[in-house]
Amino acid sequence: MVMNPVPEQPLLAVRGVTLQYKTKDHLVTATYRVDFDVQRSDRFILLGPSGCGKSTLLKAVGGYMKPIEGEIRLKGEAVTRPGPDRMMVFQEFDQLLPWRTVKENVMFPLRATGRLPRKVALEKAMEYIAKVNLTGFADNYPHTLSGGMKQRVAIARGMAMEPDILLMDEPFAALDALTRRKMQDELLQLWEGTKFTILFVTHSIPEAVRIGNRILLLSPHPGQVKAELNSDGTDAEDASGRRLSDRIHTMLFSEREIEPEAAHV
Amino acid sequence: MSSPPLTRPEYVREQVEEHDFGVVNKPLTAWERIYGNAALRKVCILVILAAIWQVYATHLDNSLIFPTFTDTMKAFLGRMASGELVKKSWTSIKVLLQGYALGMALALVITMLAMATRIGNDLLETLTAMFNPLPAIALLPVALIWFGLGNGSIIFVLVHAVMWPIALATHSGFMGVSNTLRMVGRNYGLGGFAYVRRILIPAAFPSILSGLKIGWAFAWRTLIAAELVFGTSSGSGGLGWFIYENKNVLDIPAVFAGLFTVIFIGLLVENLIFRTIEMRTVRRWGMHS
């Protein structure tokens, strides 16, 4: 395996980021001084149990909240607010605009940001809809699609914008196990085609091992970096004969004995 | 330990070919199709109501108290043909549309203010709490002093009748837009009016539409009442004035014809305009509750 030299400036640099948010009667520290770098074409996974602040971290990268300490830089520019250079795919099925067809949903950000004229935007939208195998449904309204199809539209919409980085917040978590498995394969195929950069949040170890090439492990309450690991998608055994998923499992759950979590695939 | 489960043979089945099925889909019967038509069902209800009216009024046999359906229709068609009712209706509708449009625009402005700032939100909540329960018609005497005898005062009262319910519905619609959709909108870098127009208004459209319907009904009631109270403004007068005038000359079938016109226009607007909007938007998008 040939290692590419690490470039001077990462695509996304997260430096000492502490995030806090207020609930009704608490000030919660979600993450504490988290550092990591995402390089171009990474499939970078944020993995951790619930309460490790991974989704909050993703929101911060998305520009929806400001760190109280540290900074987040995309291509050297500090992130201050949401923008179409960091397209987000959410977990919820209701992220598509119900008043627009599949085609219009994918076109919408292209048009709303004034990036492309109508005709070009339409062509580009159809190109990405074809990539997620939904050409036959381009004129359907979202409420007529299944959950997996909606997520595919959301991914097509994110990719059509050709953002610097695609942020995915547990996009397959609400899908059934069979569909989820299929979507993971499709995402990897899409990545093979365009080599876009993904920042992917999940709480499923098998999903992280399958999708990611680099996995950041976070510990809970508050989220702190525990490890950063490489993955080749096959859950390979290391020199000592342990599978990657076992190593992750031990690292995440070593301190306390935790009832085995239902296996997500 | 319980006994081990029985071992059963595995099997794989061939699928039955499509043409071997008895029924996959078959057309509905004529009656099922007729009954499935909402417009037809509603027409049926209207016919039955008219029949009850006719039977009761014939039985009562006093056209000064309750004229029959056929007498009312005769008066209605006669006045329509002479153009009197058409003209009066048009006068009313013209004023109504002005007040409605103005009220709608103001409602949108105040709701956007409420969405933009916290103090705007407080303002909207306080103002709707104050003015929504206040019958618009109660403002008419004051309006007459401020704007004089003319369309100005009626429009003022109409705006008052329309604005608060629409603002209230729009505001609650905006507040109910899911957080995911909001984040999606902001992800595209939308802000200000573009954000309201492209995300909030469509996402809140079911509430906005019901607000518009309520506003429309309030406007009609207020307009007819206002015309009844102070009658004609610019010589011709509207439907309310028509009803009032004919009551004075005891032409009760014409009074009923006037009331019928109000109902008729209401049905028309509900079933043609609002229904079409609903079909083209909320239902098509799968957003109706």
Side-chain angles (χ1 to χ4, degrees), chain A residues 195-217:
Chain A
K195 302 273 197 276
F196 53 106
T197 315
I198 310 173
L199 183 59
F200 192 106
V201 165
T202 183
H203 59 261
S204 153
I205 297 173
E207 183 167 79
V209 170
R210 226 173 130 70
I211 289 181
N213 68 327
R214 188 91 173 149
I215 302 171
L216 185 80
L217 293 188

PDB file of all heavy atoms in Angstrom, chain A residues 195-217:
ATOM      1  N   LYS A 195     -14.953  10.324  -5.698  1.00  0.00           N
ATOM      2  CA  LYS A 195     -13.948  10.580  -4.655  1.00  0.00           C
ATOM      3  C   LYS A 195     -14.199  11.874  -3.877  1.00  0.00           C
ATOM      4  O   LYS A 195     -13.302  12.663  -3.638  1.00  0.00           O
ATOM      5  CB  LYS A 195     -12.542  10.646  -5.271  1.00  0.00           C
ATOM      6  CG  LYS A 195     -12.137   9.389  -6.031  1.00  0.00           C
ATOM      7  CD  LYS A 195     -11.510   8.370  -5.115  1.00  0.00           C
ATOM      8  CE  LYS A 195     -10.740   7.301  -5.846  1.00  0.00           C
ATOM      9  NZ  LYS A 195     -11.531   6.185  -6.342  1.00  0.00           N
ATOM     10  N   PHE A 196     -15.488  12.099  -3.541  1.00  0.00           N
ATOM     11  CA  PHE A 196     -15.802  13.280  -2.747  1.00  0.00           C
ATOM     12  C   PHE A 196     -15.435  13.044  -1.281  1.00  0.00           C
ATOM     13  O   PHE A 196     -15.279  11.902  -0.857  1.00  0.00           O
ATOM     14  CB  PHE A 196     -17.274  13.650  -2.896  1.00  0.00           C
ATOM     15  CG  PHE A 196     -18.225  12.521  -2.609  1.00  0.00           C
ATOM     16  CD1 PHE A 196     -18.963  12.491  -1.440  1.00  0.00           C
ATOM     17  CD2 PHE A 196     -18.390  11.482  -3.516  1.00  0.00           C
ATOM     18  CE1 PHE A 196     -19.834  11.440  -1.180  1.00  0.00           C
ATOM     19  CE2 PHE A 196     -19.260  10.437  -3.261  1.00  0.00           C
ATOM     20  CZ  PHE A 196     -19.979  10.417  -2.095  1.00  0.00           C
ATOM     21  N   THR A 197     -15.304  14.138  -0.541  1.00  0.00           N
ATOM     22  CA  THR A 197     -14.920  14.031   0.863  1.00  0.00           C
ATOM     23  C   THR A 197     -16.171  13.905   1.726  1.00  0.00           C
ATOM     24  O   THR A 197     -17.113  14.669   1.552  1.00  0.00           O
ATOM     25  CB  THR A 197     -14.137  15.277   1.300  1.00  0.00           C
ATOM     26  OG1 THR A 197     -13.181  15.559   0.291  1.00  0.00           O
ATOM     27  CG2 THR A 197     -13.469  15.067   2.628  1.00  0.00           C
ATOM     28  N   ILE A 198     -16.163  12.943   2.622  1.00  0.00           N
ATOM     29  CA  ILE A 198     -17.331  12.715   3.471  1.00  0.00           C
ATOM     30  C   ILE A 198     -16.919  12.826   4.933  1.00  0.00           C
ATOM     31  O   ILE A 198     -15.885  12.292   5.338  1.00  0.00           O
ATOM     32  CB  ILE A 198     -17.913  11.297   3.264  1.00  0.00           C
ATOM     33  CG1 ILE A 198     -18.129  10.995   1.795  1.00  0.00           C
ATOM     34  CG2 ILE A 198     -19.196  11.126   4.044  1.00  0.00           C
ATOM     35  CD1 ILE A 198     -18.531   9.543   1.549  1.00  0.00           C
ATOM     36  N   LEU A 199     -17.743  13.507   5.710  1.00  0.00           N
ATOM     37  CA  LEU A 199     -17.611  13.454   7.166  1.00  0.00           C
ATOM     38  C   LEU A 199     -18.897  12.813   7.669  1.00  0.00           C
ATOM     39  O   LEU A 199     -19.984  13.346   7.467  1.00  0.00           O
ATOM     40  CB  LEU A 199     -17.436  14.855   7.749  1.00  0.00           C
ATOM     41  CG  LEU A 199     -17.208  14.962   9.249  1.00  0.00           C
ATOM     42  CD1 LEU A 199     -15.971  14.199   9.676  1.00  0.00           C
ATOM     43  CD2 LEU A 199     -17.070  16.415   9.665  1.00  0.00           C
ATOM     44  N   PHE A 200     -18.774  11.637   8.258  1.00  0.00           N
ATOM     45  CA  PHE A 200     -19.919  10.764   8.482  1.00  0.00           C
ATOM     46  C   PHE A 200     -20.047  10.458   9.965  1.00  0.00           C
ATOM     47  O   PHE A 200     -19.099   9.986  10.588  1.00  0.00           O
ATOM     48  CB  PHE A 200     -19.681   9.482   7.684  1.00  0.00           C
ATOM     49  CG  PHE A 200     -20.854   8.557   7.549  1.00  0.00           C
ATOM     50  CD1 PHE A 200     -21.539   8.464   6.344  1.00  0.00           C
ATOM     51  CD2 PHE A 200     -21.261   7.752   8.611  1.00  0.00           C
ATOM     52  CE1 PHE A 200     -22.606   7.582   6.206  1.00  0.00           C
ATOM     53  CE2 PHE A 200     -22.336   6.883   8.469  1.00  0.00           C
ATOM     54  CZ  PHE A 200     -23.000   6.796   7.260  1.00  0.00           C
ATOM     55  N   VAL A 201     -21.209  10.741  10.535  1.00  0.00           N
ATOM     56  CA  VAL A 201     -21.430  10.442  11.949  1.00  0.00           C
ATOM     57  C   VAL A 201     -22.216   9.155  12.076  1.00  0.00           C
ATOM     58  O   VAL A 201     -23.199   8.954  11.381  1.00  0.00           O
ATOM     59  CB  VAL A 201     -22.227  11.590  12.602  1.00  0.00           C
ATOM     60  CG1 VAL A 201     -22.783  11.154  13.949  1.00  0.00           C
ATOM     61  CG2 VAL A 201     -21.348  12.801  12.793  1.00  0.00           C
ATOM     62  N   THR A 202     -21.774   8.274  12.941  1.00  0.00           N
ATOM     63  CA  THR A 202     -22.556   7.054  13.186  1.00  0.00           C
ATOM     64  C   THR A 202     -22.270   6.550  14.587  1.00  0.00           C
ATOM     65  O   THR A 202     -21.285   6.915  15.210  1.00  0.00           O
ATOM     66  CB  THR A 202     -22.232   5.958  12.158  1.00  0.00           C
ATOM     67  OG1 THR A 202     -23.065   4.833  12.417  1.00  0.00           O
ATOM     68  CG2 THR A 202     -20.782   5.527  12.227  1.00  0.00           C
ATOM     69  N   HIS A 203     -23.193   5.717  15.105  1.00  0.00           N
ATOM     70  CA  HIS A 203     -22.910   5.067  16.382  1.00  0.00           C
ATOM     71  C   HIS A 203     -22.774   3.558  16.175  1.00  0.00           C
ATOM     72  O   HIS A 203     -22.728   2.794  17.126  1.00  0.00           O
ATOM     73  CB  HIS A 203     -23.997   5.377  17.403  1.00  0.00           C
ATOM     74  CG  HIS A 203     -25.349   4.932  16.971  1.00  0.00           C
ATOM     75  ND1 HIS A 203     -26.260   5.800  16.410  1.00  0.00           N
ATOM     76  CD2 HIS A 203     -25.927   3.729  16.970  1.00  0.00           C
ATOM     77  CE1 HIS A 203     -27.341   5.122  16.102  1.00  0.00           C
ATOM     78  NE2 HIS A 203     -27.183   3.865  16.421  1.00  0.00           N
ATOM     79  N   SER A 204     -22.732   3.153  14.903  1.00  0.00           N
ATOM     80  CA  SER A 204     -22.650   1.727  14.607  1.00  0.00           C
ATOM     81  C   SER A 204     -21.225   1.365  14.215  1.00  0.00           C
ATOM     82  O   SER A 204     -20.685   1.899  13.243  1.00  0.00           O
ATOM     83  CB  SER A 204     -23.626   1.403  13.483  1.00  0.00           C
ATOM     84  OG  SER A 204     -23.192   0.279  12.759  1.00  0.00           O
ATOM     85  N   ILE A 205     -20.610   0.468  14.973  1.00  0.00           N
ATOM     86  CA  ILE A 205     -19.223   0.086  14.693  1.00  0.00           C
ATOM     87  C   ILE A 205     -19.098  -0.587  13.317  1.00  0.00           C
ATOM     88  O   ILE A 205     -18.228  -0.218  12.531  1.00  0.00           O
ATOM     89  CB  ILE A 205     -18.665  -0.808  15.822  1.00  0.00           C
ATOM     90  CG1 ILE A 205     -18.633  -0.010  17.126  1.00  0.00           C
ATOM     91  CG2 ILE A 205     -17.259  -1.302  15.476  1.00  0.00           C
ATOM     92  CD1 ILE A 205     -18.253  -0.820  18.337  1.00  0.00           C
ATOM     93  N   PRO A 206     -19.964  -1.566  12.996  1.00  0.00           N
ATOM     94  CA  PRO A 206     -19.837  -2.183  11.663  1.00  0.00           C
ATOM     95  C   PRO A 206     -19.979  -1.170  10.525  1.00  0.00           C
ATOM     96  O   PRO A 206     -19.262  -1.268   9.525  1.00  0.00           O
ATOM     97  CB  PRO A 206     -20.998  -3.187  11.636  1.00  0.00           C
ATOM     98  CG  PRO A 206     -21.341  -3.444  13.046  1.00  0.00           C
ATOM     99  CD  PRO A 206     -21.009  -2.209  13.798  1.00  0.00           C
ATOM    100  N   GLU A 207     -20.878  -0.200  10.693  1.00  0.00           N
ATOM    101  CA  GLU A 207     -21.055   0.800   9.644  1.00  0.00           C
ATOM    102  C   GLU A 207     -19.788   1.634   9.488  1.00  0.00           C
ATOM    103  O   GLU A 207     -19.338   1.910   8.377  1.00  0.00           O
ATOM    104  CB  GLU A 207     -22.248   1.710   9.963  1.00  0.00           C
ATOM    105  CG  GLU A 207     -22.534   2.729   8.882  1.00  0.00           C
ATOM    106  CD  GLU A 207     -23.878   3.400   9.062  1.00  0.00           C
ATOM    107  OE1 GLU A 207     -23.992   4.319   9.900  1.00  0.00           O
ATOM    108  OE2 GLU A 207     -24.832   2.996   8.373  1.00  0.00           O
ATOM    109  N   ALA A 208     -19.205   2.020  10.631  1.00  0.00           N
ATOM    110  CA  ALA A 208     -17.978   2.818  10.590  1.00  0.00           C
ATOM    111  C   ALA A 208     -16.865   2.057   9.884  1.00  0.00           C
ATOM    112  O   ALA A 208     -16.163   2.594   9.024  1.00  0.00           O
ATOM    113  CB  ALA A 208     -17.556   3.178  12.011  1.00  0.00           C
ATOM    114  N   VAL A 209     -16.720   0.775  10.233  1.00  0.00           N
ATOM    115  CA  VAL A 209     -15.640  -0.035   9.661  1.00  0.00           C
ATOM    116  C   VAL A 209     -15.842  -0.215   8.164  1.00  0.00           C
ATOM    117  O   VAL A 209     -14.896  -0.202   7.382  1.00  0.00           O
ATOM    118  CB  VAL A 209     -15.595  -1.404  10.384  1.00  0.00           C
ATOM    119  CG1 VAL A 209     -14.662  -2.354   9.669  1.00  0.00           C
ATOM    120  CG2 VAL A 209     -15.155  -1.209  11.828  1.00  0.00           C
ATOM    121  N   ARG A 210     -17.096  -0.353   7.768  1.00  0.00           N
ATOM    122  CA  ARG A 210     -17.415  -0.593   6.370  1.00  0.00           C
ATOM    123  C   ARG A 210     -17.205   0.635   5.503  1.00  0.00           C
ATOM    124  O   ARG A 210     -16.632   0.557   4.423  1.00  0.00           O
ATOM    125  CB  ARG A 210     -18.894  -0.956   6.303  1.00  0.00           C
ATOM    126  CG  ARG A 210     -19.202  -2.127   5.468  1.00  0.00           C
ATOM    127  CD  ARG A 210     -20.659  -2.424   5.665  1.00  0.00           C
ATOM    128  NE  ARG A 210     -21.245  -2.540   4.353  1.00  0.00           N
ATOM    129  CZ  ARG A 210     -20.989  -3.542   3.543  1.00  0.00           C
ATOM    130  NH1 ARG A 210     -20.183  -4.485   3.915  1.00  0.00           N
ATOM    131  NH2 ARG A 210     -21.553  -3.592   2.355  1.00  0.00           N
ATOM    132  N   ILE A 211     -17.693   1.773   5.994  1.00  0.00           N
ATOM    133  CA  ILE A 211     -17.717   2.969   5.155  1.00  0.00           C
ATOM    134  C   ILE A 211     -16.430   3.767   5.230  1.00  0.00           C
ATOM    135  O   ILE A 211     -15.949   4.275   4.237  1.00  0.00           O
ATOM    136  CB  ILE A 211     -18.910   3.864   5.564  1.00  0.00           C
ATOM    137  CG1 ILE A 211     -20.200   3.201   5.122  1.00  0.00           C
ATOM    138  CG2 ILE A 211     -18.783   5.232   4.930  1.00  0.00           C
ATOM    139  CD1 ILE A 211     -21.398   3.991   5.445  1.00  0.00           C
ATOM    140  N   GLY A 212     -15.819   3.831   6.422  1.00  0.00           N
ATOM    141  CA  GLY A 212     -14.754   4.799   6.621  1.00  0.00           C
ATOM    142  C   GLY A 212     -13.398   4.339   6.112  1.00  0.00           C
ATOM    143  O   GLY A 212     -13.147   3.149   5.962  1.00  0.00           O
ATOM    144  N   ASN A 213     -12.525   5.316   5.814  1.00  0.00           N
ATOM    145  CA  ASN A 213     -11.122   4.964   5.644  1.00  0.00           C
ATOM    146  C   ASN A 213     -10.348   5.471   6.852  1.00  0.00           C
ATOM    147  O   ASN A 213      -9.216   5.084   7.086  1.00  0.00           O
ATOM    148  CB  ASN A 213     -10.558   5.535   4.344  1.00  0.00           C
ATOM    149  CG  ASN A 213     -10.458   7.044   4.374  1.00  0.00           C
ATOM    150  OD1 ASN A 213     -11.305   7.699   5.003  1.00  0.00           O
ATOM    151  ND2 ASN A 213      -9.449   7.602   3.740  1.00  0.00           N
ATOM    152  N   ARG A 214     -10.993   6.342   7.629  1.00  0.00           N
ATOM    153  CA  ARG A 214     -10.363   6.889   8.822  1.00  0.00           C
ATOM    154  C   ARG A 214     -11.471   7.062   9.852  1.00  0.00           C
ATOM    155  O   ARG A 214     -12.518   7.635   9.558  1.00  0.00           O
ATOM    156  CB  ARG A 214      -9.761   8.252   8.465  1.00  0.00           C
ATOM    157  CG  ARG A 214      -8.931   8.845   9.532  1.00  0.00           C
ATOM    158  CD  ARG A 214      -7.486   8.439   9.398  1.00  0.00           C
ATOM    159  NE  ARG A 214      -6.667   9.155  10.363  1.00  0.00           N
ATOM    160  CZ  ARG A 214      -5.567   8.654  10.910  1.00  0.00           C
ATOM    161  NH1 ARG A 214      -5.145   7.456  10.588  1.00  0.00           N
ATOM    162  NH2 ARG A 214      -4.871   9.372  11.774  1.00  0.00           N
ATOM    163  N   ILE A 215     -11.229   6.543  11.058  1.00  0.00           N
ATOM    164  CA  ILE A 215     -12.285   6.551  12.063  1.00  0.00           C
ATOM    165  C   ILE A 215     -11.805   7.286  13.306  1.00  0.00           C
ATOM    166  O   ILE A 215     -10.754   6.953  13.855  1.00  0.00           O
ATOM    167  CB  ILE A 215     -12.696   5.112  12.442  1.00  0.00           C
ATOM    168  CG1 ILE A 215     -13.170   4.353  11.200  1.00  0.00           C
ATOM    169  CG2 ILE A 215     -13.785   5.123  13.505  1.00  0.00           C
ATOM    170  CD1 ILE A 215     -13.387   2.872  11.448  1.00  0.00           C
ATOM    171  N   LEU A 216     -12.565   8.285  13.709  1.00  0.00           N
ATOM    172  CA  LEU A 216     -12.247   9.000  14.940  1.00  0.00           C
ATOM    173  C   LEU A 216     -13.157   8.472  16.043  1.00  0.00           C
ATOM    174  O   LEU A 216     -14.375   8.536  15.934  1.00  0.00           O
ATOM    175  CB  LEU A 216     -12.477  10.503  14.755  1.00  0.00           C
ATOM    176  CG  LEU A 216     -12.070  11.374  15.941  1.00  0.00           C
ATOM    177  CD1 LEU A 216     -10.574  11.595  15.937  1.00  0.00           C
ATOM    178  CD2 LEU A 216     -12.790  12.701  15.916  1.00  0.00           C
ATOM    179  N   LEU A 217     -12.553   7.942  17.098  1.00  0.00           N
ATOM    180  CA  LEU A 217     -13.352   7.432  18.209  1.00  0.00           C
ATOM    181  C   LEU A 217     -13.487   8.516  19.258  1.00  0.00           C
ATOM    182  O   LEU A 217     -12.517   9.149  19.648  1.00  0.00           O
ATOM    183  CB  LEU A 217     -12.669   6.229  18.857  1.00  0.00           C
ATOM    184  CG  LEU A 217     -12.545   4.954  18.037  1.00  0.00           C
ATOM    185  CD1 LEU A 217     -12.023   3.831  18.928  1.00  0.00           C
ATOM    186  CD2 LEU A 217     -13.892   4.574  17.479  1.00  0.00           C
TER     187      LEU A 217
END
